[in-house]
Amino acid sequence: LGIWLATTPLVLWRFQLLSPIGLLLNVVLGPLIVVLMWAGYSFLIVGLIWPLAAMPFAALFDGCLLGLIRSVQWASSISFGHLDVASPPAWW
C-alpha cells in the first residue's frame, strides 16, 4: 500500500493513468509471483545441470506465467479498473 501510494503521483504525472485494481491485483497475485520466481530460478539452475530434470519446473513456470498474464488481462477489462486522469501539478 505504501509503495502504491508513493508511486501513484509519478504514474499519474508520466502516464495520466490511475489503476486502483493494481493494488488489489498485487495483493492477490503475490503468492503466485513467489511460486513463479522460484520455478523460474529452479528451471534455470536445474536446467544447467540436467536439462531433462528441469521439465517439471519449466511446466510450473509456464503455468504460473500464463495465470499471471490472464489475470492482468482480466483486470484490464474491468470497468473503472483504470482511469485516465489529468496529471497532478508540478509541485506534487
Side-chain angles (χ1 to χ4, degrees):
L1 176 63
I3 292 171
W4 188 80
L5 289 174
T7 59
T8 296
L10 295 173
V11 173
L12 286 173
W13 173 72
R14 181 73 174 124
F15 301 106
Q16 293 82 36
L17 183 71
L18 177 65
S19 179
I21 194 74
L23 177 63
L24 177 65
L25 199 62
N26 281 332
V27 172
V28 172
L29 292 178
L32 177 69
I33 293 170
V34 170
V35 174
L36 174 78
M37 296 297 286
W38 277 105
Y41 292 139
S42 301
F43 169 63
L44 288 173
I45 292 168
V46 174
L48 288 172
I49 299 167
W50 189 20
L52 289 177
M55 289 178 62
F57 297 113
L60 179 62
F61 180 77
D62 186 48
C64 288
L65 191 59
L66 184 63
L68 180 68
I69 290 170
R70 287 189 179 165
S71 298
V72 171
Q73 287 174 342
W74 170 79
S76 69
S77 68
I78 294 176
S79 297
F80 298 108
H82 61 280
L83 306 167
D84 294 323
V85 294
S87 295
W91 63 266
W92 183 267

